[in-house]
Amino acid sequence: MFDPGQVIVGLEIGTHKICVAVGEAGAKGELTILGIGQCTSRGVRKGEITDTTKAAEDVRTALAEAEQQANVEIQEVYLGITGNHIRCLDSRGVHPIASFDRTISPEDVADAVGNAKQFNCPAEHEVIDSVRQDYKVDDRTGIENPVGLVGGVLEASVHVIQGRTSRIETARRVVQGMQVAVVKPVFNGLASALAVLTPEQKQQGVVLLDLGAGTTEYAFFHGGVLRHSGVLAVGGDHVSNDLACGLRIPIDQAERLKIEQGCAVYDPALRGATHTIPGETGLAPRILSIENLHRIMSLRIEETLDLVARDLAKSDAFGLARAGVVLCGGGARARGIETLVERVFEMPVGRAHTHNVSGPADVLANPEFAVAIGLVRYGAMRLQSRSRSRFDLKSTLQNLFRR
Amino acid sequence: MDNPTGPDISAQPAPEPSPRTGFLVVGVGRAGGAITELLAAAGLDGARFAAVDTDSTALGRLRRTENTAIGARLTRGEGCGNDLARGAQSAEQDIARLRKIVEGVRLVCIVAGIGGGIGGGAAAVVARVAREAGSLVLGIAVLPFRYEGPLRHSNASDGLQALRAASDAVICVPNQGVAAMLDERTLVTEVFDAANVMVAQSVESLWRLLHRPSMNPLGFADLERLLRGRHAESVFASVETRGPARAREAVEKLRTHPFLQAEQMLVDADAALLAVAGGNDLRFDELQEVQDQFQRLCEHAQVVTGSAVDPALEGRIVVTVIATRGGASPLAAPQTAMPAQTKIHPANETSAPSDEPPMRFESIAGDDFPTNRSGSKFIPPAPDLTDSQKRDLVHRQIKNKHQRKKTTQTLFNFEVVSVSRFAQTEPVKRNGENLDEPTYARRGVALN
């Protein structure tokens, strides 16, 4: 039974940090964040766990911090999943309307959606989420709710997000090793979209760009439905690595320099500007060229954005996203990133704010917590829809992304 | 009042033309050749046109230029395949022929598509030869379009560095800027033609600047003063307008000129040369307006203005700008393929007096020609030696040179790219590229 005061926990095992958000859903679906726990991540590269021992230690620390802050005992979590193995695709399912009066019933809809999910999934992959897009009755497209319409053939389209089973299982085991159950793995891109996009934006058309440390996730909504999503396993870590290579400095120094001196756009006016970094372990201080720093950084970020833009162009996002691009993740803090995104996407750009959530202001304003908060929202919506359609267990998730 | 100097001036004979007044345009490589051909078709009088290429077929297509095929032994009349070293070697092989082309010319203008093997490799050698022969060398480097790929771009940056080191001044012409100026649906051939025409027009206006009679003339000396030793960036643009508001339009056109990077170059310029040319109807207030507006554009620059009247320009006004930015000190650029301080070559039979020894220093040969050049590091003072001493020195130099060549260390042409942080993970590949490698390394962006 749905308990109005139930605690929902989202866990994101990120490349730079592990983040736990503890939230509480009210009776009307409003969300309150009770606590946040985080820990610097050591065993994750490009969004995937490479060292389970270190990752487990860090997850434990983060969970403990969240438990303490929210004063709850965490028993189950929604687990954020990302990485190079994620595949997103659209699938269509057709169902002929066989009833005598040719009126579409909820069962017909369920069958069409069921057919849409019957697609060729590679053996080593599993479906993380399938999100209903819209329906087509005979040759009318873009129907949101076909129940009650009259027609011959019903076609449902579903956006399917799948990932490699072994990778998902690795993350799941790490969490389960701490006697915490995983309710469901959720794609990070979807979670952050839930946290920061408003229904109006989704209706108008919007691109969400989550610039993480290890990966860049993106999701495109239009007409209230998820049209396209994906992940590129290139992120802020790559920027740091490029800087470390190009400027010949240690990676941790590169990371610090990126945050303090970095800029996503290359400004020729800075030609000749330098920055002195103090020598470490007895080495002489080094003078670095700010021009090179910015150039390396802007080349990498622009390339990443270019690749994302190219993928989004396949679903015609550039013509339809009238609400522009929303940025979240740590990369959204980079200086000049808005200018660069605007140049590449040719759309208005804004930084993300979590909406319809209450909690500590600093947490909500922080673009880095979008995924964790989104996971809580995902959980809340799932519980809500479950309580509403108790008798129709088949359509638990399908109504989630309709609003 | 009696003015005794008046009649004297009018009675003075026209000044003796100096032995080096020629203006030579050398097109190096395919793009250079095509631009030179365009210029030759325009027919600038007093100018010579030459084309240098390894590709004999491409050379055969140029009908109006003095064509010189180089590196026949190395490339067998084919191109260089985007290999800078090959281009440079081809030029070195036929260095005597190159020397003959640039002989006795005052200003050599080298036009090259710097992204190619010949343009990037041979242009620097031609520049060096011309400079050694005592000419003022102006390089015009046409940078490749973006679509031409990372190899040509890295070639361009290497070639440009070599050309800068070898010539008095280099002007970069970004082809991509031309493309940006045109309608995006323009045909490929039209874009290439437009780019070539634009470079050709610039060179033509340079020639006009130097050769047309003018009220306040700008001569070689001004050009030299502006460009000499400034291995920094120079840009070059020329616009032509007509109609009643032509003066204002000309400045407006300059502001949006692709070569000036949307006036950014003017804002940054620290020295500029402005030449205004018009027909017989050129008014003083127009001159004034162009100068005022221009000076406002480049506030920090020291602007030298010249004006000229050319009856052929009736109803039009042509404004040419050369602007340089960056310090006056030469860049510490890497040496070109062969450092040539005191190069030795066989005596030139036509110009050498018969009592000279058969082998001699070029610096001595350089003294045969009166030249305005001063303080060039390529011309050391003539050593005061007897013939036998000279011969000794020559032999020693030959020996040294031989040894130096032997010990040249070759470098493998690849770079160790670090993916260290991601070594343990599955590489992220898109379009055949490993995205874990730094972007700047994959694109071949040179970090200075």
Side-chain angles (χ1 to χ4, degrees):
Chain A
M1 283 291 283
F2 179 55
D3 172 10
Q6 188 160 357
V7 167
I8 303 156
V9 183
L11 166 64
E12 181 207 4
I13 304 179
T15 310
H16 178 248
K17 62 165 185 8
I18 289 166
C19 184
V20 180
V22 182
E24 194 175 41
K28 289 175 188 148
E30 73 276 16
L31 216 59
T32 312
I33 297 298
L34 303 174
I36 290 274
Q38 49 178 332
C39 178
T40 310
S41 178
R42 292 169 300 165
V44 183
R45 286 278 177 278
K46 293 192 278 190
E48 295 169 28
I49 294 173
T50 50
D51 185 331
T52 47
T53 324
K54 279 182 186 164
E57 278 174 27
D58 298 339
V59 169
R60 191 187 301 277
T61 315
L63 283 172
E65 191 184 316
E67 280 187 341
Q68 201 182 11
Q69 212 182 73
N71 199 17
V72 293
E73 193 184 334
I74 294 171
Q75 287 169 338
E76 50 174 33
V77 296
Y78 288 86
L79 177 62
I81 296 285
T82 187
N84 200 22
H85 59 103
I86 303 278
R87 298 276 173 276
C88 301
L89 50 101
D90 286 343
S91 175
R92 290 179 182 282
V94 181
H95 179 71
I97 309 301
S99 65
F100 176 69
D101 56 359
R102 301 207 166 251
T103 308
I104 297 168
S105 66
E107 287 74 29
D108 291 327
V109 175
D111 277 347
V113 171
N115 288 343
K117 288 181 185 174
Q118 304 292 319
F119 62 89
N120 217 348
C121 181
E124 70 273 26
H125 277 229
E126 71 177 50
V127 173
I128 301 174
D129 256 318
S130 47
V131 183
R132 251 191 236 188
Q133 292 178 317
D134 50 12
Y135 302 91
K136 185 177 164 190
V137 178
D138 295 338
D139 46 8
R140 282 174 62 197
T141 54
I143 297 168
E144 282 187 35
N145 184 9
V147 175
L149 295 178
V150 178
V153 176
L154 174 69
E155 192 180 309
S157 73
V158 173
H159 187 74
V160 181
I161 301 163
Q162 48 173 294
R164 199 177 277 262
T165 311
S166 58
R167 308 283 164 84
I168 300 169
E169 203 52 38
T170 307
R172 199 196 287 263
R173 294 268 166 84
V174 166
V175 179
Q176 282 169 346
M178 262 153 276
Q179 309 307 318
V180 173
V182 173
V183 188
K184 196 183 174 315
V186 183
F187 173 47
N188 278 358
L190 194 58
S192 41
L194 286 178
V196 302
L197 298 182
T198 62
E200 296 78 44
Q201 283 175 325
K202 289 184 200 169
Q203 193 66 40
Q204 281 181 348
V206 66
V207 172
L208 174 96
L209 210 52
D210 186 340
L211 305 163
T215 55
T216 301
E217 288 100 5
Y218 47 96
F220 163 51
F221 287 83
H222 178 256
V225 296
L226 177 62
R227 296 281 168 196
H228 192 80
S229 67
V231 53
L232 179 68
V234 175
D237 253 10
H238 286 81
V239 177
S240 303
N241 191 52
D242 288 8
L243 288 177
C245 286
L247 304 174
R248 296 187 192 82
I249 49 176
I251 190 92
D252 53 334
Q253 219 162 36
E255 179 82 28
R256 207 160 52 229
L257 206 59
K258 173 182 78 174
I259 294 164
E260 285 166 9
Q261 301 287 333
C263 183
V265 281
Y266 168 60
D267 180 7
L270 276 176
R271 186 176 291 255
T274 55
H275 175 71
T276 311
I277 51 170
E280 281 178 1
T281 60
L283 294 172
R286 282 196 54 196
I287 299 171
L288 301 173
S289 153
I290 292 283
E291 181 194 352
N292 282 348
L293 193 158
H294 288 188
R295 193 186 291 173
I296 293 170
M297 200 166 158
S298 76
L299 276 170
R300 168 63 83 177
I301 301 178
E302 190 171 355
E303 181 192 53
T304 310
L305 293 176
D306 246 1
L307 288 168
V308 171
R310 239 180 267 175
D311 191 42
L312 281 170
K314 288 177 199 157
S315 59
D316 202 17
F318 291 93
L320 297 173
R322 285 192 291 277
V325 184
V326 175
L327 301 177
C328 67
R333 289 175 177 280
R335 200 144 45 98
I337 187 78
E338 279 151 329
T339 319
L340 187 63
V341 174
E342 202 169 321
R343 198 162 72 204
V344 174
F345 284 74
E346 292 170 347
M347 282 186 220
V349 179
R351 240 171 255 195
H353 295 280
T354 43
H355 78 101
N356 201 10
V357 181
S358 58
D362 58 327
V363 169
L364 300 182
N366 199 328
E368 286 145 29
F369 294 141
V371 173
I373 294 171
L375 289 169
V376 176
R377 154 94 18 102
Y378 184 99
M381 288 165 85
R382 188 167 182 264
L383 290 176
Q384 208 179 14
S385 78
R386 185 161 277 182
S387 73
R388 206 163 44 199
S389 54
R390 209 172 306 149
F391 305 107
D392 184 15
L393 284 175
K394 238 184 161 186
S395 59
T396 44
L397 275 176
Q398 278 100 358
N399 267 330
L400 274 181
F401 306 102
R402 311 286 313 151
R403 57 202 66 241
Chain B
M1 221 172 110
D2 183 33
N3 188 351
T5 55
D8 281 349
I9 286 173
S10 60
Q12 252 179 13
E16 202 67 37
S18 85
R20 287 166 185 277
T21 49
F23 180 67
L24 170 70
V25 183
V26 187
V28 182
R30 185 185 284 255
I35 292 164
T36 312
E37 176 82 358
L38 273 175
L39 278 168
L44 319 177
D45 50 76
R48 274 169 58 213
F49 302 96
V52 173
D53 204 338
T54 61
D55 187 347
S56 49
T57 345
L59 270 184
R61 270 184 233 121
L62 308 176
R63 308 239 171 263
R64 296 190 178 86
T65 52
E66 302 166 27
N67 297 340
T68 308
I70 54 167
R73 267 174 296 157
L74 192 71
T75 63
R76 298 192 192 82
E78 296 295 325
C80 283
N82 285 327
D83 187 348
L84 291 185
R86 225 171 144 86
Q89 275 168 20
S90 306
E92 298 284 1
Q93 271 186 359
D94 288 302
I95 206 147
R97 299 168 74 179
L98 296 178
R99 216 168 255 144
K100 205 166 275 174
I101 304 174
V102 298
E103 192 103 272
V105 181
R106 185 69 180 80
L107 176 68
V108 177
C109 180
I110 295 168
V111 186
I114 205 81
I118 307 159
V125 179
V126 178
R128 200 192 71 220
V129 168
R131 214 176 154 173
E132 280 168 17
S135 312
L136 179 69
V137 180
L138 175 68
I140 296 186
V142 184
L143 304 182
F145 287 101
R146 199 164 53 215
Y147 83 87
E148 289 180 57
L151 174 65
R152 286 182 77 95
H153 280 271
S154 74
N155 272 356
S157 96
D158 292 350
L160 196 58
Q161 216 162 23
L163 186 61
R164 271 194 186 139
S167 41
D168 290 293
V170 173
I171 292 170
C172 291
V173 182
N175 259 350
Q176 193 64 36
V178 179
M181 193 181 61
L182 296 171
D183 180 22
E184 53 190 9
R185 301 181 68 91
T186 314
L187 301 178
V188 181
T189 49
E190 287 173 17
V191 173
F192 274 88
D193 287 348
N196 287 351
V197 165
M198 198 147 241
V199 181
Q201 274 174 354
S202 303
V203 179
E204 191 182 344
S205 61
L206 177 71
W207 167 83
R208 183 181 295 119
L209 176 82
L210 298 173
H211 287 269
R212 283 290 168 222
S214 48
M215 277 78 64
N216 37 358
L218 292 171
F220 279 130
D222 293 283
L223 202 61
E224 272 190 74
R225 200 181 63 80
L226 183 75
L227 300 179
R228 159 91 56 216
R230 287 183 195 267
H231 291 261
E233 277 178 81
S234 320
V235 286
F236 190 10
S238 174
V239 297
E240 189 180 309
T241 51
R242 56 178 73 228
R246 55 191 186 172
R248 206 182 58 238
E249 276 172 23
V251 177
E252 212 39 56
K253 258 185 154 172
L254 274 180
R255 294 183 59 162
T256 52
H257 200 285
F259 292 178
L260 300 180
Q261 294 163 13
E263 77 173 311
Q264 188 56 45
M265 280 304 291
L266 293 181
V267 175
D268 296 348
D270 54 16
L273 196 144
L274 174 74
V276 186
N280 286 323
D281 55 348
L282 179 67
R283 295 198 311 270
F284 183 72
D285 65 308
E286 288 176 330
L287 206 58
Q288 188 85 37
E289 189 178 353
V290 172
Q291 154 70 17
D292 284 353
Q293 298 280 340
F294 185 75
Q295 183 71 61
R296 207 165 297 154
L297 271 183
C298 39
E299 284 178 320
H300 309 298
Q302 184 188 19
V303 180
V304 180
T305 313
S307 58
V309 167
D310 184 347
L313 291 175
E314 193 72 43
R316 290 177 291 165
I317 183 168
V318 176
V319 179
T320 306
V321 170
I322 304 175
T324 63
R325 73 171 177 193
S329 61
L331 274 181
Q335 283 291 315
T336 38
M338 265 171 59
Q341 296 267 335
T342 46
K343 286 286 282 294
I344 301 128
H345 63 84
N348 190 335
E349 276 80 19
T350 53
S351 65
S354 54
D355 59 345
E356 284 278 332
M359 300 281 276
R360 63 204 179 96
F361 288 97
E362 185 170 272
S363 53
I364 305 170
D367 290 343
D368 294 345
F369 305 100
T371 168
N372 293 347
R373 295 183 52 133
S374 57
S376 168
K377 59 179 177 175
F378 289 99
I379 303 180
D384 195 9
L385 302 169
T386 64
D387 281 4
S388 63
Q389 276 176 317
K390 278 181 188 170
R391 244 172 253 132
D392 260 357
L393 192 57
V394 164
H395 282 302
R396 232 183 308 143
Q397 296 247 340
I398 289 172
K399 220 171 144 193
N400 279 348
K401 207 175 108 192
H402 196 63
Q403 278 174 351
R404 217 184 310 143
K405 258 196 169 166
K406 253 188 181 171
T407 54
T408 312
Q409 187 182 359
T410 52
L411 283 174
F412 284 110
N413 194 18
F414 54 77
E415 194 181 340
V416 180
V417 172
S418 170
V419 292
S420 56
R421 191 165 173 75
F422 310 109
Q424 304 297 315
T425 60
E426 194 182 324
V428 186
K429 297 218 167 145
R430 288 284 158 100
N431 310 325
E433 286 183 308
N434 183 358
L435 295 185
D436 290 344
E437 289 169 12
T439 314
Y440 75 88
R442 273 181 281 125
R443 302 259 171 99
V445 174
L447 301 173
N448 46 340

